[in-house]
Amino acid sequence: MGRALIGDSLGFHLLIVIFGVGLPLLISLLELYGIATKRPRARALARTWAKALVILFIVGAVSGTIISLQLDLLWPKFMDFIGETAGLAFVLEGTFFMIEAVFLSVYMLSWDRFKPIWHWLCSVPIVIGSIGSAIFITSANAFMNNPQGFKLDAQGNPVDVNVAQALFTEATFTESFHSITAYICSTALVLLTIYVWLYMKKRHAADRSWMRKVMGGLAAVAVVFGILVAIAGDLSGQYLAREEPHKLAVAEALMETQTNAPLIMGGIIDGNEVKYGIEVPSLLSFLATHRFDAEVQGLDKIPPEDRPPLIIHYFFDGMVVIGAAIVVIPAAYLALRKWRPAWAHRKVVLIGLLACGPLALLATELGWMLTEIGRQPYAIYGVMRTSDAFTTSDAVMRLGILFPVCYVLLLTIAIIILRKFMHHEGMTKS
Amino acid sequence: MITAAVVIVCLMFSVYMWMASIEFGIALLRLWPRLDTGKLVNKLFTPMWEVTNVFLVFGFTGFAVLFNNALVPISHAVLPTLAVGVTALLLRGSIVLYLFYYRPKEQGLTPGNAAFALANFLVPASFTAVGVYLLTGQAFWLTASGWSLMAMAISLFAAMGWAFVYLRAGHQAGLRLQWLARACIALFALIGSIGVQLVVSRDAPHLLTLTFSVVSLLAAFSILWQGALLTTRRADHGMWWYLSAVSLAMPLLMAFANRPWLVYGQHTLEQAYGAQAYGMAVLLGLGAIFPVMAIGWGLLAWLLTHDKPPTSGASGV
């Protein structure tokens, strides 16, 4: 029940966080572009996107509040431990969020009242706030995956705490780099999906020329950040091989420790093995260490009671395959625009672009499911099991039923409002 | 360090309750449009109020990381109470979006407005109930002092809500609104100055400290001030600021009245305080918010109170 509750909350919140991190940066860059090139259309578009950001920000504020309260109420032993070690991360995350919130209000109210460059400067704290809060909440998660900066006494309590070491681990860097670039890439792709969908509607035929420019820009952003996601993913893979070999072993369904470890793609999980997967010899060793003959730890080195569920193999494969597709498709679109413009806006290409937005969201969700379920059965790896971290109160059953219903309601209303916003505000206005 | 931790955590909750009371007043105006002769709701109702939740998060997270040694038993004890508030918080998000984007001008006793007002009451009420648990060591419904402390807090909360829309609106507010605000202020004053003292002296004498007496004096003074305003027939915005100061100080004064306990009879502040390694960093971080917020809020207040320049093509500060 505890895993389900926090999983519901985090899964929902993540959908909003993606835009909470990606949209401020895109809006800020777009407005700066408009100012620098003296293009009022670009500024007008930034203003439209900012209004959508406000709606999503409000939803994110609600879900984020719920998660913080859930952690304190439902996972008190976990928070007790974190409170002694890396709790500062939660405080700093909230601080950056507050900066973002206040300056978002200033930004929205000052469009016609500040000079453009001063108005754009108001977007900078929003970007800093969004990325800062993402980094610090990710650092808390990094601590959970690879706890450092403390020793345990005989009773299992943390002593000799080094807060900086607890907050800023190698996992903090790899997770933050990977997740933040993924959020920005996903945001660009979702916006691209929206504009492709509008482009395909006949009633927006008059705006198609302008929309093609927007689509090109968004595709370029998606490709650039998609490549960064891939680089971050490579760094993450090497990190996992060094510091979290259990997670890599399960993600890759590597049963035995071996050199020249093969990469298993796809397949069907059958008990404790993966059948019918495609094996590429030595590729896992190379991805993990950049050496084909390196040893990669398998599940045989992990006691059965400490192994994460093998299902994360699907999450990993899904994330990688989708991640590759959503970079290749917009890259192909850009290439067609450059060298075969007549083909670039054919239906088959547009449908491919249309799929990229939802797929990007799915890939991001799969990535976080991989990292969280891959840490099981631990809440703090090697220190505290998930079953020990959860509350013993019976009242949690009521929440278990209510919360998913409330989240579905909130998401439904948010989507309805965003659709209404798109129609009436005019995502196509220039 | 422990005292600083208490001050900072209480301040976070104070700011949240202060802003929540304003939103409660706005919610009540949506329910009773006859009171809203100045059409204040249209100007005041905005979903950006949801951002005030961050102070709730600061307060709760600060409490959890600073007093983590007592978090397990406290969370177990308050979960049933807070489950109500947390659910109301989640529902309120949906209601706010629905009302603002679909029914922004709708007033009167509609399901949406009633749900909005109820949610705006339940969230702070549930957190107040947690505060009463800390002060008495029991759920509020089990003792007379629990009930009287809840009544004092809720009457102040309601008074703040009405007073904001009445006293800040000034001449735009209707007569009924004025008298409702005054009645709530009087109720708070009576409960806070006399009622709660009588009950607490029997039920929870450990609270009868100097700081608790200050709470009662502050409550009593509010009715004296209100009486003076009535005789001079003035609407004084100073009353609003006075009530604001009282509501901001209240959690801190009550926490000091409860010393050395964090949860009366169960956990002392010293036993509960666990953030030895980085308590100062947390406090500095939380304290550093305020100057940054001051800059942002200063800009925001300027934007809200100064009219837009005429659209002559030139804009700027």
Side-chain angles (χ1 to χ4, degrees), chain A residues 231-291:
Chain A
I231 294 170
D234 178 54
L235 293 172
S236 291
Q238 293 176 60
Y239 158 78
L240 286 179
R242 276 196 314 277
E243 303 290 338
E244 297 181 47
H246 58 284
K247 196 177 284 182
L248 185 67
V250 173
E252 299 291 359
L254 189 69
M255 298 303 162
E256 291 174 7
T257 302
Q258 56 190 285
T259 56
N260 295 95
L263 183 74
I264 301 174
M265 296 187 289
I268 297 170
I269 296 169
D270 180 16
N272 285 331
E273 60 176 323
V274 175
K275 291 182 177 175
Y276 315 120
I278 301 168
E279 276 198 27
V280 181
S282 304
L283 188 55
L284 180 57
S285 288
F286 180 77
L287 291 174
T289 62
H290 289 185
R291 284 177 25 237

Side-chain angles (χ1 to χ4, degrees), chain B residues 234-280:
Chain B
R234 286 176 62 201
D236 186 357
H237 291 181
M239 186 74 207
W240 154 249
W241 291 112
Y242 175 76
L243 284 177
S244 298
V246 170
S247 72
L248 287 170
M250 185 74 72
L252 187 60
L253 291 171
M254 299 304 282
F256 278 178
N258 201 34
R259 293 189 80 164
W261 300 102
L262 175 65
V263 183
Y264 176 66
Q266 297 170 39
H267 307 282
T268 63
L269 287 165
E270 200 160 322
Q271 288 169 341
Y273 186 75
Q276 310 291 351
Y278 60 87
M280 180 56 79

Side-chain angles (χ1 to χ4, degrees), chain B residues 276-300:
Chain B
Q276 310 291 351
Y278 60 87
M280 180 56 79
V282 170
L283 298 174
L284 283 175
L286 289 172
I289 296 168
F290 290 101
V292 175
M293 291 302 106
I295 295 170
W297 275 332
L299 277 171
L300 200 53

Side-chain angles (χ1 to χ4, degrees), chain A residues 84-283:
Chain A
E84 300 264 9
T85 50
L88 186 60
F90 292 105
V91 176
L92 291 173
E93 188 264 338
T95 307
F96 278 95
F97 172 79
M98 195 63 185
I99 294 170
E100 185 185 356
V102 171
F103 281 93
L104 181 58
S105 303
V106 171
Y107 186 74
M108 294 309 293
L109 284 170
S110 59
W111 271 102
D112 300 320
R113 302 171 70 177
F114 288 176
K115 282 184 180 167
I117 191 65
W118 287 109
H119 180 261
W120 172 77
L121 277 172
C122 292
S123 73
V124 175
I126 303 172
V127 175
I128 292 172
S130 66
I131 292 177
S133 62
I135 288 172
F136 280 107
I137 202 63
T138 306
S139 76
N141 183 264
F143 177 83
M144 293 162 66
N145 291 325
N146 187 9
Q148 293 178 22
F150 63 94
K151 294 181 184 144
L152 292 175
D153 64 11
Q155 287 76 41
N157 298 316
V159 293
D160 297 338
V161 175
N162 182 327
V163 177
Q165 201 176 349
L167 286 183
F168 299 109
T169 64
E170 187 184 350
T172 304
F173 169 71
T174 54
E175 280 194 38
S176 299
F177 183 22
H178 196 45
S179 57
I180 290 172
T181 49
Y183 300 156
I184 298 167
C185 180
S186 298
T187 303
L189 286 169
V190 170
L191 285 172
L192 178 62
T193 293
I194 292 170
Y195 279 99
V196 167
W197 181 71
L198 290 170
Y199 183 89
M200 291 170 80
K201 295 280 180 195
K202 284 183 183 167
R203 66 173 180 265
H204 296 300
D207 290 314
R208 279 187 175 166
S209 168
W210 171 83
M211 275 198 239
R212 278 198 289 270
K213 290 181 189 174
V214 176
M215 285 157 57
L218 288 168
V221 170
V223 169
V224 167
F225 278 92
I227 292 169
L228 289 174
V229 172
I231 294 170
D234 178 54
L235 293 172
S236 291
Q238 293 176 60
Y239 158 78
L240 286 179
R242 276 196 314 277
E243 303 290 338
E244 297 181 47
H246 58 284
K247 196 177 284 182
L248 185 67
V250 173
E252 299 291 359
L254 189 69
M255 298 303 162
E256 291 174 7
T257 302
Q258 56 190 285
T259 56
N260 295 95
L263 183 74
I264 301 174
M265 296 187 289
I268 297 170
I269 296 169
D270 180 16
N272 285 331
E273 60 176 323
V274 175
K275 291 182 177 175
Y276 315 120
I278 301 168
E279 276 198 27
V280 181
S282 304
L283 188 55

Side-chain angles (χ1 to χ4, degrees), chain B residues 128-144:
Chain B
T128 303
V130 174
V132 172
Y133 164 76
L134 297 178
L135 294 174
T136 62
Q138 299 178 73
F140 77 89
W141 57 82
L142 294 176
T143 61

Side-chain angles (χ1 to χ4, degrees), chain A residues 55 58-59 62 65 72 76 79-80 83-84 94 98 101-102 105 109 112-114 392-393 403 406 410 416-417 420, chain B residues 47-48 51 53-55 58 60 64 68-69 71 75-76 86 90 94 101-102 274 278 293 296 303 306 315-317:
Chain A
I55 297 168
I58 291 159
V59 175
V62 173
T65 304
D72 297 331
M79 287 302 291
D80 182 2
E84 300 264 9
M98 195 63 185
V102 171
S105 303
L109 284 170
D112 300 320
R113 302 171 70 177
F114 288 176
T392 53
S393 172
F403 269 43
C406 293
L410 186 58
I416 291 171
I417 287 168
K420 184 186 175 202
Chain B
M48 285 304 285
V51 171
N53 293 335
V54 73
F55 284 103
F58 278 143
F60 219 79
N68 58 293
N69 288 342
L71 186 62
S75 68
H76 192 99
V86 171
L90 190 49
S94 302
Y101 287 100
Y102 273 91
Y278 60 87
M293 291 302 106
L303 287 164
H306 286 69
S315 68
V317 178

Side-chain angles (χ1 to χ4, degrees), chain B residues 12-27:
Chain B
M12 294 298 162
F13 281 116
S14 299
V15 173
Y16 171 73
M17 295 295 258
W18 178 65
M19 300 184 86
S21 67
I22 295 169
E23 196 176 7
F24 182 60
I26 296 167

